[in-house]
Amino acid sequence: MMKMYDLAIVGGGPAGLSAALYAGRAGLSCVVLEKLFFGGQMLKTSEIDNYPGAPEIRDVFSFSESMRAQAAEFGAEFKTEEVVEVRENNGIKTIVTTNGEYRAKALILATGAFPKKLGVPGEEEFAAKGVSYCATCDGAFFKNKTATVVGGGDTALEDALFLSAICKTVYVVHRRDTFRGAKHLYNRAKNKENIRFVLNSTVSEIVGENTVTGVKVKNVKNETETLIDTNAVFIAIGSTPDSGVFKGFVKLDKYGYVITDKNLQSSVSGVFAAGDVRQKTLRQIITAAADGAESVYNVQKFIFEH
């Protein structure tokens, strides 16, 4: 007979790992299903310096493994399997994977999101060596240096403003001459002496040796190419939630993020979302972990009431 879990968690990043820990401590039977590596997107950074109480995490793999092991000590089960379908019938959640099926009273969706990439030479080569997709995560590493932000939305403008308080000079490269970001953000950025706009331009290549030393930009109107000397390139052109398998199961917004209420519950009763896959303002390790903890608190209430 198929085992019935109290809780199934899809996704093994910081949100899923935190949820597993809190579920185990609450005495809930719990299984975490992750298609790749436990740790999620944080494994793609070489260093973490903004997690409270752990200011210099230089071995991110060991850090994520300690999160998994801590949850396992409290009874959480971990399976490396890709989820291909999720369904609900009479309150029971069935999660179909490449290896089988799992049943649970409640479900947490914690599959995260992936930053959109430019797809230019040097981007992959210098990832975590000057190329970053999160200014609030990595900006402090470039104090009093030069940084370049690529993008024209709210995130790009917010990143530029954030970096302007840290860096000597901040360039903003945008393919148009107008910004889709909020006007008040643009006005604030325009009035910053150390923010310089490079408009009607796209990045053609990120260059460097061991780390980033410059970015080549091409003017889209006259096709001239120039080199900007910079120590970092922050790419802020959006992110893509890993929510495809949930389409048609829970309500998603137009960008594909799971819509949740104040209790992190989705449009389906007993199905919650935590971390970067849901609609939220700040996507960081600490906010994902907080979501994981809060979602389990609400799972407990749901199971008790049902």
Side-chain angles (χ1 to χ4, degrees):
M1 185 176 178
M2 187 183 301
K3 179 178 179 178
M4 173 70 75
Y5 291 91
D6 291 320
L7 173 64
I9 301 168
V10 183
L17 295 175
S18 173
L21 171 61
Y22 274 74
R25 292 179 73 250
L28 301 178
S29 60
C30 169
V31 62
V32 184
L33 304 166
E34 166 59 49
K35 64 182 176 181
L36 294 173
F37 306 102
F38 292 100
Q41 287 294 305
M42 68 178 171
L43 293 179
K44 294 190 175 182
T45 186
S46 60
E47 187 173 346
I48 299 168
D49 75 340
N50 61 349
Y51 198 87
E56 292 186 355
I57 301 172
R58 302 189 185 280
D59 186 346
V60 181
F61 177 83
S62 294
F63 176 66
S64 63
E65 174 55 24
S66 69
M67 292 177 71
R68 189 204 65 79
Q70 187 179 10
E73 287 180 7
F74 284 95
E77 297 179 27
F78 294 86
K79 308 286 186 181
T80 305
E81 300 177 22
E82 182 175 2
V83 173
V84 295
E85 183 185 357
V86 181
R87 57 179 182 262
E88 190 263 356
N89 186 37
N90 292 327
I92 302 303
K93 286 72 180 172
T94 300
I95 304 93
V96 183
T97 75
T98 48
N99 290 355
E101 292 187 3
Y102 297 85
R103 301 174 72 204
K105 299 174 185 176
L107 174 63
I108 295 176
L109 312 178
T111 45
F114 302 94
K116 291 181 180 178
K117 298 186 176 182
L118 292 173
V120 299
E123 183 176 11
E124 296 292 338
E125 180 183 352
F126 294 109
K129 298 177 182 176
V131 171
S132 173
Y133 302 88
C134 180
T136 52
C137 305
D138 301 326
F141 297 126
F142 302 96
K143 185 176 181 179
N144 297 324
K145 295 184 178 181
T146 300
T148 299
V149 176
V150 183
D154 284 354
T155 299
L157 292 170
E158 288 168 351
D159 284 356
L161 287 165
F162 174 81
L163 292 167
S164 70
I166 300 170
C167 300
K168 181 180 179 181
T169 305
V170 179
Y171 291 94
V172 179
V173 178
H174 181 40
R175 59 185 174 179
R176 300 186 178 92
D177 57 6
T178 57
F179 286 82
R180 66 181 183 278
K183 187 174 181 179
H184 76 276
L185 291 174
Y186 169 70
N187 288 336
R188 284 179 58 200
K190 183 177 65 174
N191 291 326
K192 288 284 186 178
E193 291 184 359
N194 62 337
I195 294 180
R196 302 176 184 176
F197 293 100
V198 183
L199 304 180
N200 295 313
S201 298
T202 59
V203 172
S204 55
E205 183 179 0
I206 299 169
V207 299
E209 295 180 5
N210 295 322
T211 60
V212 169
T213 59
V215 58
K216 291 182 180 179
V217 297
K218 185 176 183 180
N219 186 289
V220 296
K221 291 189 173 182
N222 58 31
E223 296 191 348
T224 58
E225 190 173 68
T226 58
L227 176 66
I228 297 174
D229 293 329
T230 189
N231 304 107
V233 180
F234 291 92
I235 299 168
I237 57 174
S239 60
T240 303
D242 190 5
S243 62
V245 72
F246 310 134
K247 188 176 182 180
F249 176 61
V250 295
K251 287 184 179 179
L252 309 176
D253 69 11
K254 64 180 180 179
Y255 302 107
Y257 292 101
V258 179
I259 298 171
T260 60
D261 63 15
K262 65 180 182 179
N263 296 318
L264 305 190
Q265 183 168 257
S266 73
S267 57
V268 177
S269 179
V271 178
F272 301 81
D276 291 3
V277 75
R278 77 176 187 92
Q279 282 183 328
K280 59 188 302 182
T281 302
L282 184 62
R283 293 182 168 85
Q284 299 271 273
I285 295 171
I286 190 170
T287 61
D291 276 3
E294 185 177 355
S295 62
V296 170
Y297 173 76
N298 292 311
V299 164
Q300 288 179 268
K301 289 175 61 180
F302 171 80
I303 291 176
F304 177 77
E305 293 170 359
H306 293 79

